[in-house]
Amino acid sequence: MGRLSAFGIVSLLAQIGSARLYESVSSLPAINFDYIIVGGGTAGCVLANRLSEDSDVNILLLEAGGAYDGVEQLEIPFNSIRSAGSGSAWDWNFTTTTGSSYSRGYVLGGSSSVNGMFYARGSEDDWARYAAVTGDDGWTWNKIQPYLKRISSLLQIITIPLVNLILLFTGKSVPFTSSVLTRLIQLWYSTDGLVGVSLPGFPQFTDSLFVETVMNRSTADQFPFKLDYNDGTPLGYGWVQSTIKDGARSSAASAYLADEFLNRENLHVLIHAQASRVLPSGDNKTIKTVEFSQASIGNSTRTTLTASREIIVSAGVIGTPVLLLNSGIGDLTELSALNIPSIANIPSVGKNFSDHLNLLAAWALNVSQPFSPAESTTFERFTLDLAQMAAFVDQWRESRDGPLAMNGLSNQIGFRRLDSSDPNVQHSLDSFGDPSPGPRAAHFGYTPINGFAFGRPPTNNSYLSMVATVVQTKSRGSVKLNSTVPSGKPIIDTGIRSNPYDLFAMREAFKAVFDFLATAPWVNYLEDSQPALGLQAVIDANFSADAMNTYITSLSSEGLHGVGTASMSAAGAGWGVVDPDLVVKGLQGLRVVDASVLPFVTSTNPMVAVYIVAERAADLIKSSKD
Ligand SMILES: Cc1cc2nc3c(=O)[nH]c(=O)nc-3n(C[C@H](O)[C@H](O)[C@H](O)COP(=O)(O)OP(=O)(O)OC[C@H]3O[C@@H](n4cnc5c(N)ncnc54)[C@H](O)[C@@H]3O)c2cc1C
Ligand SMILES: *[C@@H]1O[C@H](CO)[C@@H](O)[C@H](O)[C@H]1NC(C)=O
Ligand SMILES: *[C@@H]1O[C@H](CO)[C@@H](O)[C@H](O)[C@H]1NC(C)=O
Ligand SMILES: *[C@@H]1O[C@H](CO)[C@@H](O)[C@H](O)[C@H]1NC(C)=O
Ligand SMILES: *[C@@H]1O[C@H](CO)[C@@H](O)[C@H](O)[C@H]1NC(C)=O
Ligand SMILES: *[C@@H]1O[C@H](CO)[C@@H](O)[C@H](O)[C@H]1NC(C)=O
Ligand SMILES: *[C@@H]1O[C@H](CO)[C@@H](O)[C@H](O)[C@H]1NC(C)=O
Ligand SMILES: *[C@@H]1O[C@H](CO)[C@@H](O)[C@H](O)[C@H]1NC(C)=O
Ligand SMILES: *[C@@H]1O[C@H](CO)[C@@H](O)[C@H](O)[C@H]1NC(C)=O
Ligand SMILES: *[C@@H]1O[C@H](CO)[C@@H](O)[C@H](O)[C@H]1NC(C)=O
């Protein structure tokens, strides 16, 4: 019996009864794959699904990490970002040159399986800039709308005025809870898209404070309510939309690789398979071969597979440049210093790493525990009380509800522009150059969190946290190979705070946080509280630039929203890695489809932009087939 048919029998066995998810390369069927997708993350799952809609083509998806299905830690929304970070079984454990951890999902669904689940589409101006920079109007807001419907279609225009009206009537006297809003919206909105998106699934004590601030006539001008920050103009304060479906995380894996799709005969998914390189054909111009191994499960033998049509790299903002560089696609001089034979001299590979900048502030609240009712408590009620936590886990298992059904961060988010009516702000914007793509996009955002936001609280108190985010930074970084061990952990220099604009914008965001907390309901809530984490020093110094800079420098961190390391640019541009159709410049057969192609980060959280890029890429690939 020949080797091929032996493979065939094994694969048949593996397929009996269920999905084509393979643990071992030895069970892969020995068939011809038309497309091989490297990286089963946010973008990779979308491509695997959409390309396999055409039953004439065979798809192979390679993912370095393991399966997502049935991993309760990832499915429980409250855990969200608590499942990420160094040491997690579902994380790449990357560390930056400044020593901080840079999380990336190491599991099917990629970072969508471990992220904070904030669902935000960016602003119309972000997309206008992508179109302008690439010279391709297929990236404009209007042109991407059909993709948004395929991803998810929670909010549609007709019902917005209605819900708005209800809010206006109920806003003052009946603090309008977000769970009521969720139920309302579920009644009125269709959800044809695959990713489930929900409004807050569990009320927080802070919800009514938020409602009072945005509904109070004397503060609403400064803090306007925004019903749907996903309408193209994300400015104002509104309820968070999260990728949660029926109380559980909706990841790229659970949505796009659900059983009904995995059961397609032409879709094959191999987990624990990490690609090391893509390999060229003889002329170095066509790349259709990928080399990978299953070293993480003890098999370091390298396999190569050749696709008849294309290799699509979707390994993410770090994994993608690492793979390209190891393949000899990158800066010629830098690669020859590493003794990596050059296939294509593309200096932008791994450059222009861009991210958001986050800052945490926290207050220890002077309230005694235990609290009652549940709505008037902070997360500490169960994060500090393991018995209570266990009870809520049981509740979640039983009915997919309770406090663990919320995203673990916040029920509200606000996006704002810098106040250019302030001459000092305008002067700074003029001298730094305004990085914002346009007037519909925010410069910064912030979100109140009903508990301590990151890690274990410093004391056994209840907390209020605020996270401020500069959503357009000017700092740029890079992803490079380690010259000692090019195949080992990459050198990730995120460039954090290297451009002084970012510090300036964060100081403004910081002051805006305090303006927000100075409104009536919050002032009372924080009356007896203790500023934590060194905040008191900033207050004592009357928010001097120096004091704020010290605080920001010690407590700010990357937004974990990195993009740009395999950027798209106009065809023929002197920089960039891929053309607007996401084909690697100067090569055939090789595309990049993931966060790394975005030349700028969106002015909101970026996951939806990655979904959009992948949905459009699937269309581009399908239309290039004929
Ligand atoms: C902790 C955290 C919180 C976040 N919170 C939010 C949020 O609330 N909202 C939001 O919009 N965005 C958020 N983000 C950002 C968002 O999740 C990412 O921008 C997005 O998911 C990136 O998608 P991607 O397809 O580019 O990469 P990923 O989803 O990371 O996928 C890359 C995949 O490739 C695999 N891979 C890598 N290298 C190889 C290789 N050599 N061979 C095989 N497989 C490989 C990886 O294991 C992974 O599965 C967050 C990110 C993190 C990490
Ligand atoms: C990250 O560390 C954890 C804990 O040691 C481990 O389980 C996981 O496999 C590591 N991730 C990678 C990509 O090696
Ligand atoms: C290890 O990988 C090689 C090639 O990738 C494959 O032929 C072999 O069957 C694998 N071994 C096991 C035990 O799966
Ligand atoms: C392809 O690239 C390799 C490695 O740089 C080089 O040795 C070889 O000469 C190239 N082949 C062609 C046809 O350019
Ligand atoms: C970085 O991006 C900018 C556009 O934002 C571009 O002008 C520049 O050439 C890029 N740099 C590299 C090294 O790719
Ligand atoms: C908080 O309480 C736990 C258990 O009650 C105790 O072990 C821990 O030391 C306390 N931490 C602080 C910072 O007081
Ligand atoms: C490169 O890898 C070597 C060997 O693992 C390690 O000792 C060194 O610290 C790495 N260099 C950087 C800059 O991370
Ligand atoms: C509205 O805000 C003003 C100014 O902060 C405050 O004085 C007033 O009490 C608030 N009204 C209500 C009903 O909260
Ligand atoms: C906390 O509240 C109690 C009762 O209201 C009060 O006596 C105490 O001084 C407060 N403590 C702080 C640190 O504000
Ligand atoms: C802060 O402002 C107060 C009141 O205006 C003033 O008394 C104090 O000296 C100032 N503190 C500093 C450090 O400037």
Side-chain angles (χ1 to χ4, degrees), residues 535-572:
L535 211 49
Q536 190 63 51
V538 184
I539 297 167
D540 291 345
N542 293 342
F543 296 87
S544 72
D546 278 354
M548 282 193 282
N549 285 349
T550 304
Y551 186 84
I552 294 166
T553 303
S554 71
L555 276 157
S556 61
S557 60
E558 288 87 0
L560 303 179
H561 294 162
V563 302
T565 50
S567 181
M568 53 180 176
S569 66

Side-chain angles (χ1 to χ4, degrees), residues 72-88:
E72 188 182 75
Q73 289 94 319
L74 302 180
E75 288 174 341
I76 294 180
F78 184 83
N79 291 350
S80 67
I81 60 165
R82 293 168 183 84
S83 326
S86 277
S88 154

Side-chain angles (χ1 to χ4, degrees), residues 282-284 341-343:
D283 66 354
N284 290 347
S342 169
I343 297 304

Side-chain angles (χ1 to χ4, degrees), residues 117-193:
M117 299 180 291
F118 280 46
Y119 176 91
R121 298 166 170 174
S123 75
E124 205 170 326
D125 293 332
D126 289 307
W127 293 94
R129 178 160 67 179
Y130 296 145
V133 165
T134 59
D136 176 356
D137 80 349
W139 294 115
T140 54
W141 179 256
N142 285 345
K143 294 279 174 66
I144 59 158
Q145 292 310 306
Y147 302 118
L148 285 169
K149 294 209 170 66
R150 292 183 205 172
I151 297 161
S152 158
S153 55
L154 176 72
L155 292 169
Q156 288 166 357
I157 281 153
I158 39 160
T159 53
I160 287 179
L162 175 72
V163 178
N164 212 350
L165 217 76
I166 294 167
L167 268 167
L168 282 175
F169 279 119
T170 58
K172 272 278 39 94
S173 46
V174 189
F176 195 86
T177 68
S178 48
S179 52
V180 174
L181 186 60
T182 304
R183 260 174 246 132
L184 252 177
I185 286 190
Q186 279 169 349
L187 278 177
W188 288 96
Y189 294 96
S190 75
T191 49
D192 294 337

